[in-house]
Amino acid sequence: MAKPYQRIGDAAFSKIEKVNSELFTLTYGSLVSQLVKDYEDVAEVNKQLDKMGYNIGARLIDEFLAKSNITRCVDFRETAEVIGKVAFRMFLGIVAQVVNWNPEGTECSFIIDENPLNDFVELPESAAGLLYSNILCGVIRGALEQINMKVECHFLKDALRGDDTTEIRLSLKELLQETYHADDD
Amino acid sequence: MSASPAPVKAVADCVFDLLHNEIVDWASQTAGPSTDAVVQKLDRLGFQVGYRLAERYSREKPRFADTLEIIKFLCKEFWTEAFKRQVDNLKTNHRGVFVLLDKKFRLMANFSPPPSASAKDLASIQLAFTCGMIRGALHDLSVAATVTAEFATPAPAQDAPFPCNF
């Protein structure tokens, strides 16, 4: 019944052009520390990271649809499975477990054991409240909005802050109708 | 089957490229109106990255004999780790100036400035993070350097090369 998403994810990751994760991780770290210096307010940093992620997600979805070998998902449960097993795998080389569904099937959590963004990172005391990897929430939100799903996405737990694991909560808010802009063509 | 060696961690290229784009956009919007201010901000960000990368990549290496050895390390190992290819050509005037030519520099592959903008300014912004990385890597290897980049715009119909001089 369940489709072999793990295998599809592995295949997509093996095919995609890759770069050493250290470059990516250190670049992200350098960005976050600069944001922290510039804004002096962690809430503002979290917001900025989410916004950047949103922009990235809006473009990453094209790459995903072109290369993942995934066709239309029947429901939100399937969409979440695909994000966890295929998208996380294909782009970051990791798998996110999809758990803690609400009965309606509109909310779930991604559990991430090895977040590559966290490598080499230790948060100082002064960074309390910083959602270090908040860019991931933005990416998911931005990508799903391109395929007409309005979602909310936020960190519930972060291993960097001493939690036992990293957990991102995803909730479906609305299925958007296809909109056409008369002046587009 | 289960005893395969731990793989080198990797992420998709496009993820780094999109992050780099966002950083460039953010710096362009926040650093101030002048190109110089944007370039400086990106250069500083790149410096941190290059410094720490060089630290990691050179850890297992014997001590370098001289500056030329260090530059060669930069052109080969460092460039391959960071930009997935070696530098195509290295020139020097033997008085401390080195020119590294990468004919297909990854981060310029999709560079197409709008006709209204100054291509030269935009290219220096797009390359500033990399210049900072090189400066940071050299700093880690005890070489104080200034790094600038030049981008030779290819003819419109040409896909490659994208020659970049550093």
Side-chain angles (χ1 to χ4, degrees):
Chain A
M1 168 94 176
K3 291 186 191 162
Y5 289 127
Q6 192 114 23
R7 223 167 51 214
I8 297 175
D10 287 350
F13 185 61
S14 73
K15 263 189 284 176
I16 203 160
E17 286 283 328
K18 287 179 277 293
V19 65
N20 191 319
S21 75
E22 289 176 348
L23 171 66
F24 173 68
T25 301
L26 292 174
T27 300
Y28 185 70
S30 142
L31 169 68
V32 177
S33 63
Q34 189 62 47
L35 289 172
V36 168
K37 273 182 217 147
D38 281 14
Y39 292 106
E40 293 172 355
D41 170 13
V42 284
E44 198 52 45
V45 176
N46 294 341
K47 209 166 108 188
Q48 188 64 38
L49 288 171
D50 180 80
K51 190 172 138 195
M52 290 171 140
Y54 180 88
N55 295 339
I56 292 175
R59 301 208 179 133
L60 208 54
I61 185 74
D62 291 333
E63 191 79 11
F64 181 78
L65 295 174
K67 296 190 179 155
S68 64
N69 216 3
I70 290 289
T71 46
R72 186 171 279 274
C73 297
V74 294
D75 57 15
F76 192 61
R77 277 179 186 273
E78 194 179 359
T79 305
E81 281 295 316
V82 165
I83 295 172
K85 305 249 164 54
V86 187
F88 268 103
R89 178 78 176 125
M90 173 174 173
F91 293 124
L92 295 181
I94 56 171
V95 168
Q97 301 303 325
V98 185
V99 296
N100 299 343
W101 280 98
N102 68 346
E104 297 80 22
T106 56
E107 283 186 27
C108 64
S109 290
F110 295 112
I111 304 286
I112 303 171
D113 292 328
E114 284 182 81
N115 176 3
L117 294 176
N118 285 359
D119 288 348
F120 331 119
V121 180
E122 272 176 48
L123 292 184
E125 297 265 327
S126 59
L130 175 68
L131 302 168
Y132 183 83
S133 298
N134 210 30
I135 199 162
L136 295 177
C137 294
V139 171
I140 295 171
R141 193 167 62 81
L144 289 179
E145 198 161 309
Q146 292 297 311
I147 50 172
N148 299 322
M149 284 177 224
K150 199 162 179 54
V151 297
E152 265 176 27
C153 196
H154 62 272
F155 268 85
L156 278 188
K157 293 180 182 174
D158 188 349
L160 264 192
R161 298 191 302 185
D163 294 326
D164 53 344
T165 182
T166 296
E167 178 172 355
I168 294 176
R169 191 75 182 156
L170 173 70
S171 348
L172 176 65
K173 290 296 158 197
E174 193 186 347
L175 290 171
L176 303 168
Q177 298 301 314
E178 290 276 357
T179 49
Y180 297 98
H181 301 285
D183 55 356
D184 260 8
D185 48 18
Chain B
M1 290 288 278
S2 59
S4 59
V8 175
K9 277 188 164 184
V11 299
D13 266 9
C14 56
V15 173
F16 173 76
D17 296 352
L18 289 171
L19 178 65
H20 179 265
N21 281 350
E22 278 306 307
I23 292 175
V24 170
D25 285 353
W26 171 74
S28 303
Q29 287 157 20
T30 57
S34 79
T35 301
D36 280 355
V38 179
V39 166
Q40 261 178 37
K41 186 160 198 163
L42 289 165
D43 183 281
R44 275 203 305 275
L45 284 167
F47 183 92
Q48 302 298 332
V49 176
Y51 185 90
R52 295 185 63 187
L53 275 183
E55 211 170 48
R56 308 183 72 79
Y57 296 158
S58 65
R59 205 165 18 193
E60 315 272 291
K61 306 277 293 180
R63 189 171 274 278
F64 296 104
D66 54 20
T67 307
L68 184 62
E69 288 284 302
I70 292 173
I71 301 286
K72 281 184 180 164
F73 165 78
L74 185 72
C75 293
K76 291 183 180 167
E77 282 100 326
F78 184 87
W79 217 261
T80 308
E81 290 289 348
F83 305 119
K84 303 179 42 164
R85 61 197 310 278
Q86 293 189 8
V87 161
D88 292 294
N89 188 285
L90 168 66
K91 285 184 201 154
T92 176
N93 68 354
H94 299 288
R95 279 187 230 142
V97 176
F98 295 89
V99 179
L100 284 61
L101 174 71
D102 185 335
K103 290 184 184 168
K104 286 186 193 166
F105 186 60
R106 253 171 47 77
L107 294 174
M108 295 307 269
N110 296 318
F111 181 72
S112 54
S116 57
S118 156
K120 194 165 171 291
D121 281 1
L122 286 178
S124 63
I125 287 171
Q126 180 73 7
L127 289 165
F129 184 85
T130 309
C131 287
M133 271 179 69
I134 300 171
R135 201 166 61 78
L138 288 172
H139 189 84
D140 174 62
L141 302 167
S142 318
V143 179
T146 52
V147 181
T148 56
E150 263 171 43
F151 175 66
T153 318
Q158 224 173 330
D159 285 326
F162 303 96
C164 290
N165 283 322
F166 292 97

